[in-house]
């Protein structure tokens, strides 16, 4: 069986023209996904939107799914970096740096986050992100003094509240700064 995932690409090492072409294809894909599901988007459609020759995308990606999987992989890598740079024991004491980094990532990847949360996102990928977030929340609760009972309902409530704020944040074009959003998030009775 063929491995669907292509090797992750370090965008910084790519030629400027290659980066531009990839960005055009990614942007076109996310624009299409605001209107219809991933499975109904063709490479031909993306080429038309990006004003590219029909063969050009195949120099960079296997197919439409490959474009989206690489976008998801990049987001996942960056989100894992946010978790790593904000250990649960530090977030338990002061959640603002974590939330600032989270909103900054949402702002940076606004189009992808908007598609995932508000449009035709990938349910399996969202389930993976939800699981990671809930595990992180459990770790934060365990580091509180005294530790907070992290039952599944409390975790689901917290994740849902933060996801809802992220959803609104990207849907409104990230109008506020990540720091401003982070400042209001911990005031909620969440952490």
């Amino acid at each position: 069986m063929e491995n669907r995932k292509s090797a992750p690409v370090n965008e910084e090492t790519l030629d400027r023209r290659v980066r531009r072409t990839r960005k055009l294809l990614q942007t076109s894909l996310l624009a299409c996904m605001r209107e219809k599901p991933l499975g109904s988007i063709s490479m031909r459609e993306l080429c038309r939107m990006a004003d590219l020759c029909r063969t050009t995308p195949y120099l960079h990606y296997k197919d439409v799914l490959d474009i989206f999987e690489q976008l998801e992989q990049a987001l996942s890598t960056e989100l894992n970096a946010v978790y790593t740079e904000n250990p649960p024991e530090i977030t338990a004491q002061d959640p603002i740096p974590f939330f600032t980094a989270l909103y900054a990532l949402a702002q940076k990847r606004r189009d992808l986050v908007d598609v995932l949360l508000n449009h035709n996102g990938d349910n399996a990928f969202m389930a993976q992100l939800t699981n990671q977030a809930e595990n992180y929340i459990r770790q934060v609760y365990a580091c509180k003094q005294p530790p907070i009972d992290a039952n599944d309902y409390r975790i689901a409530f917290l994740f849902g509240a933060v996801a809802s704020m992220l959803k609104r944040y990207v849907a409104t074009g990230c109008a506020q700064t990540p720091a401003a959003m982070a400042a209001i998030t911990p005031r909620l009775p969440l952490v």
Side-chain angles (χ1 to χ4, degrees), residues 47-151:
C47 290
R48 241 179 300 149
M49 283 186 75
D51 195 25
L52 296 171
C53 175
R54 281 187 54 207
T55 58
T56 301
Y58 296 104
L59 299 171
H60 308 281
Y61 300 103
K62 293 177 186 175
D63 53 22
V64 173
L65 183 59
D66 188 32
I67 298 170
F68 194 63
E69 286 175 345
Q70 286 191 31
L71 284 167
E72 288 178 331
Q73 181 59 43
L75 177 63
S76 182
T77 299
E78 291 176 48
L79 186 56
N80 285 332
V82 169
Y83 291 137
T84 301
E85 293 165 5
N86 296 279
E89 55 276 6
I90 302 298
T91 300
Q93 295 171 12
D94 181 14
I96 290 181
F98 169 74
F99 285 124
T100 301
L102 186 64
Y103 287 110
L105 177 56
Q107 184 179 51
K108 176 183 176 186
R109 297 280 183 179
R110 179 176 68 202
D111 292 337
L112 176 58
V113 174
D114 186 41
V115 163
L116 288 170
L117 295 176
N118 295 317
H119 299 286
N120 295 298
D122 178 355
N123 290 336
F125 182 67
M126 283 305 300
Q128 174 190 337
L129 294 183
T130 299
N131 188 44
Q132 287 176 318
E134 289 180 348
N135 286 335
Y136 182 78
I137 294 166
R138 275 187 190 82
Q139 292 172 25
V140 170
Y141 275 177
C143 295
K144 289 280 197 181
Q145 293 302 323
I148 296 173
D149 176 30
N151 67 54

Side-chain angles (χ1 to χ4, degrees), residues 95-96 99 165 179-191:
I96 290 181
F99 285 124
M165 289 184 71
M181 290 300 297
I184 63 171
T185 303
R187 286 194 213 146
L188 301 172
L190 304 175
V191 284

